[in-house]
Amino acid sequence: MNTRKRIALGFASLALASGGLGGGVAVAADGGEATAQQPTGAAACSTWYDNAGPGGAYRGHAKCSGNVDVKVWVKCTDGSAHASAWRFQYAKAECPSGQRGSFAQYDTRPSQS
């Protein structure tokens, strides 16, 4: 069973995710990297975002435990969307050089490896 989760951005998203959406929601703090444990059925996932891509580009990350593959998507402020490949336990996706992100999300599935 796939379980898509959003990687939240900023203080507004932190408040919404921690109070309004219940367990299993990704949480990130304003201005850099943050992590949160994400129970996703068989996997516990930590998610974070940063601006460490080329030219300060936005990147979304998900690292999960268990026998799972992970895929990450980012939506960029230029309107483009980018996805990682399905990868075992860790994946990241990033915006083009210098682009900020508007959101990121991830999904898990039982490992195909």
Side-chain angles (χ1 to χ4, degrees):
M1 174 173 77
N2 290 347
T3 54
R4 186 169 291 183
K5 303 292 180 189
R6 190 167 175 154
I7 301 170
L9 306 176
F11 285 135
S13 296
L14 175 62
L16 179 63
S18 63
L21 298 179
V25 176
V27 182
D30 191 274
E33 296 183 30
T35 62
Q37 292 300 312
Q38 303 304 311
T40 57
C45 300
S46 295
T47 61
W48 68 97
Y49 73 96
D50 61 34
N51 294 313
Y58 173 87
R59 302 186 309 181
H61 306 261
K63 181 171 177 61
C64 302
S65 62
N67 191 30
V68 296
D69 293 331
V70 183
K71 187 172 189 171
V72 176
W73 292 264
V74 294
K75 173 98 176 179
C76 307
T77 54
D78 67 355
S80 64
H82 303 273
S84 69
W86 283 102
R87 304 230 183 250
F88 183 69
Q89 295 185 334
Y90 170 79
K92 75 172 179 184
E94 64 184 53
C95 292
S97 182
Q99 287 294 315
R100 303 293 269 170
S102 56
F103 79 89
Q105 62 188 22
Y106 73 98
D107 201 355
T108 61
R109 69 178 185 192
S111 181
Q112 306 293 306
S113 4

